Amino acid sequence: MRRHLWLFMGSTTTSMYRLLIFLLATFFSCGQSTSQQTTGQAKVDSSGNYQYRSATRDGIGKVYLGREIAQVMGHLGAAWLERPEREQEERTDLLLDALDLKPTDVVADIGAGTGYFTFLMAPEVPRGKVLAVDIQPEMIEYLNAGKRKRNASNVEAVLGTESNPKLPANSVDLAILIDAYHEFSYPREMMDNIVKALKPGGRVVLVEYRAEDPSVPIKELHKLSVAQATKEMKAAGLKLIKNDDRLPQQHVMFFGR
């Protein structure tokens, strides 16, 4: 579920490589549909949480609290998640520092994809574990292969659904969602279930490209502002604790009860 949609400029070999990966990922992107979607006046679903309208180019036509949900990249875009330049572009080392993980923490990596960040966190919680959650069986295969390759015994792959990460209640110290939340088809249901999985004092961390910054070269629906994130997390019973700004292009937003 974790995806990145860059705009590319220049003609270097690296730029061409990134462009090729982007085109492949875009080709295999699975824009989701619903029987309630309409091309006319917006409709509201029976829960009252979502509206349906004509989809924009990068969205699915489903709106939550004023935000159109973005399309999801399929597993065939996995190479994009493992691109060599990702660490430098996203400064994943700084993100790891920002989390301040304890050795005994149980961490849920929601939308873990291939496990790029899962396997960076695992050594930080040697007496805890990382629950790597994804809704695509193909990504679960990537995760299990990565676990075997790295002998990461404290990593557990979890196949969730679009509305439920399938985590036990009161089991998680920290749930992290890296460039994933904006693509959730059922954000209200997912967050309600994630909140149930938090231990007392547990935190949710949203890592999202800054919608407030027009210079961030990401498509608009794949960005998220602090104000919008705060509004959506409030609906799930969470409040903003802090917004760490150490990453070059992404917010690191910490939420708690």
Side-chain angles (χ1 to χ4, degrees):
M1 292 188 291
R2 180 173 310 148
R3 322 293 168 243
H4 311 265
L5 297 178
W6 289 83
L7 302 178
F8 299 98
M9 296 179 290
S11 57
T12 65
T13 301
T14 298
S15 294
M16 292 302 295
Y17 169 78
R18 289 167 55 187
L19 177 58
L20 175 60
I21 295 298
F22 167 75
L23 291 174
L24 287 171
T26 301
F27 179 78
F28 290 113
S29 116
C30 47
Q32 301 154 33
S33 62
T34 171
S35 60
Q36 292 179 290
Q37 189 171 329
T38 177
T39 57
Q41 187 176 0
K43 289 185 178 180
V44 180
D45 74 351
S46 58
S47 71
N49 292 327
Y50 308 107
Q51 292 183 329
Y52 298 88
R53 66 187 188 195
S54 297
T56 62
R57 180 175 180 179
D58 301 309
I60 66 171
K62 187 176 183 179
V63 178
Y64 179 55
L65 294 177
R67 174 184 64 86
E68 184 181 6
I69 296 167
Q71 292 181 8
V72 177
M73 183 198 301
H75 65 277
L76 292 173
W80 174 248
L81 304 178
E82 297 290 335
R83 64 195 188 280
E85 64 271 27
R86 181 174 177 183
E87 179 178 358
Q88 185 58 38
E89 290 174 349
E90 298 184 13
R91 291 306 306 270
T92 50
D93 57 326
L94 296 180
L95 174 55
L96 196 60
D97 288 342
L99 298 181
D100 192 25
L101 296 173
K102 298 179 177 62
T104 56
D105 277 346
V106 176
V107 181
D109 186 1
I110 311 292
T114 59
Y116 181 89
F117 202 69
T118 292
F119 295 113
L120 292 179
M121 292 189 291
E124 303 295 316
V125 291
R127 299 196 301 278
K129 60 181 174 180
V130 182
L131 303 171
V133 181
D134 208 279
I135 66 170
Q136 299 180 76
E138 296 86 355
M139 290 302 191
I140 298 299
E141 291 179 11
Y142 276 109
L143 288 162
N144 283 325
K147 176 180 178 176
R148 291 190 296 269
K149 178 180 178 180
R150 297 169 176 82
N151 194 27
S153 60
N154 64 337
V155 170
E156 179 182 341
V158 179
L159 180 63
T161 71
E162 290 183 331
S163 59
N164 192 334
K166 300 294 185 178
L167 298 172
N170 301 312
S171 64
V172 172
D173 295 291
L174 182 142
I176 184 166
L177 299 78
I178 304 176
D179 303 323
Y181 175 75
H182 64 271
E183 296 177 352
F184 285 179
S185 298
Y186 296 90
R188 178 60 180 273
E189 292 83 352
M190 277 291 286
M191 290 313 306
D192 285 346
N193 283 309
I194 289 171
V195 169
K196 291 175 184 176
L198 293 178
K199 296 179 183 179
R203 301 170 295 162
V204 170
V205 180
L206 296 187
V207 182
E208 292 280 353
Y209 285 98
R210 297 175 183 138
E212 303 91 335
D213 186 352
S215 69
V216 174
I218 298 293
K219 293 182 178 182
E220 290 303 315
L221 291 187
H222 292 266
K223 298 180 183 181
L224 194 64
S225 70
V226 174
Q228 183 67 31
T230 300
K231 178 167 64 173
E232 296 187 25
M233 293 302 104
K234 182 179 179 181
L238 300 175
K239 62 182 179 180
L240 181 66
I241 299 171
K242 68 175 179 177
N243 178 28
D244 191 303
D245 62 358
R246 73 184 69 190
L247 299 188
Q249 296 180 320
Q250 294 154 295
H251 293 301
V252 184
M253 297 173 281
F254 290 78
F255 294 89
R257 289 189 180 95

